[in-house]
Amino acid sequence: MSAPQHPTDTTATAEATSGAVLSPPTDETTPGGQPELPDPDASDADALVEPADTDAADEAGGNDDLLVREGDVAGDYLERLLDILDVDGDIDLDVEGDRASVAIVGSELKDLVGPDGAVLEALQELTRLAVAQSTGVRSRLMLDISGFRAKRRADLTALAGETARRVAQSGQPERLKPMNPFERKVVHDVIAAVSGVRSESEGEEPNRRVVVLPDR
């Protein structure tokens, strides 16, 4: 999609349009208007008598279909949001591992990223809610805008590697600055691949951080 760009107040516009954009049609809702989410502890007795390989194949196929649907719902939701904000951007949909992945690509999207990705994080949560309302299942969808997460992942990978080497040499723990869950996972994954060190998280959101320690 392409639309003329005009200066916009992202926050004010999003609030003004919340009724139209942030409440997509739902497949199933409870009387209170919230999506009816499946009981994670519920079990199907019939499934217990099916062969394990059949169950695994059916589950994998169903999960892939759900992730594709999540991407489609998210793409429609974000496309309407961009139209209302009068912002030009292309939407790319993909599936990465066990998550749907959605990226908005454009040259003038800094306002949708915000300081340190704050607006991006908020938009991701809103998009996940929109997807959950449509599918009835909680979403772990990842949203990126203008390659912000990709660049952040590369920066954090380098930071984690350097920190791990220092801790392995000095034997002293190091605390990194507070990070969001996406950033902490990137660091934990890097540290897990380095021998002689380990990592853990400490603190409460939004000040939760990664601590890198020498392995015992």
Side-chain angles (χ1 to χ4, degrees):
M1 85 211 60
S2 296
Q5 295 190 31
H6 305 288
T8 57
D9 184 333
T10 303
T11 303
T13 307
E15 291 176 351
T17 59
S18 59
V21 179
L22 305 183
S23 300
T26 61
D27 291 341
E28 296 185 23
T29 58
T30 62
Q34 297 298 318
E36 184 176 0
L37 301 180
D39 182 355
D41 296 326
S43 60
D44 186 348
D46 292 338
L48 299 178
V49 299
E50 294 290 339
D53 56 346
T54 302
D55 286 349
D58 290 345
E59 182 179 354
N63 188 55
D64 288 345
D65 291 342
L66 175 60
L67 295 180
V68 171
R69 185 182 174 196
E70 284 191 15
D72 290 340
V73 173
D76 290 343
Y77 172 78
L78 292 168
E79 186 173 318
R80 285 183 290 152
L81 179 61
L82 291 178
D83 285 343
I84 289 175
L85 296 177
D86 198 14
V87 173
D88 184 22
D90 296 323
I91 297 176
D92 294 336
L93 307 178
D94 199 359
V95 173
E96 296 182 358
D98 59 350
R99 298 187 187 209
S101 174
V102 181
I104 304 177
V105 182
S107 58
E108 300 293 335
L109 299 173
K110 290 190 295 184
D111 288 344
L112 296 183
V113 175
D116 295 325
V119 177
L120 169 59
E121 289 296 322
L123 286 176
Q124 176 175 274
E125 290 308 309
L126 289 173
T127 304
R128 287 178 173 180
L129 288 173
V131 170
Q133 284 183 327
S134 179
T135 65
V137 180
R138 288 183 178 89
S139 174
R140 299 174 60 244
L141 173 147
M142 291 296 294
L143 173 65
D144 195 6
I145 299 178
S146 290
F148 176 84
R149 286 197 195 279
K151 182 179 184 304
R152 184 63 174 149
R153 182 190 297 274
D155 292 343
L156 288 170
T157 298
L159 171 66
E162 293 169 2
T163 304
R165 285 190 289 272
R166 288 198 305 268
V167 171
Q169 291 174 357
S170 69
Q172 298 298 316
E174 289 193 26
R175 287 172 171 78
L176 303 180
K177 70 176 185 178
M179 299 177 183
N180 62 45
F182 160 77
E183 294 171 332
R184 294 196 302 270
K185 184 180 187 306
V186 172
V187 173
H188 285 309
D189 288 346
V190 173
I191 299 300
V194 179
S195 60
V197 295
R198 60 188 176 88
S199 63
E200 58 187 40
S201 295
E202 68 175 18
E204 301 294 332
E205 300 290 3
N207 296 314
R208 194 163 175 78
R209 68 184 68 220
V210 174
V211 183
V212 183
L213 310 99
D215 205 358
R216 297 174 181 174

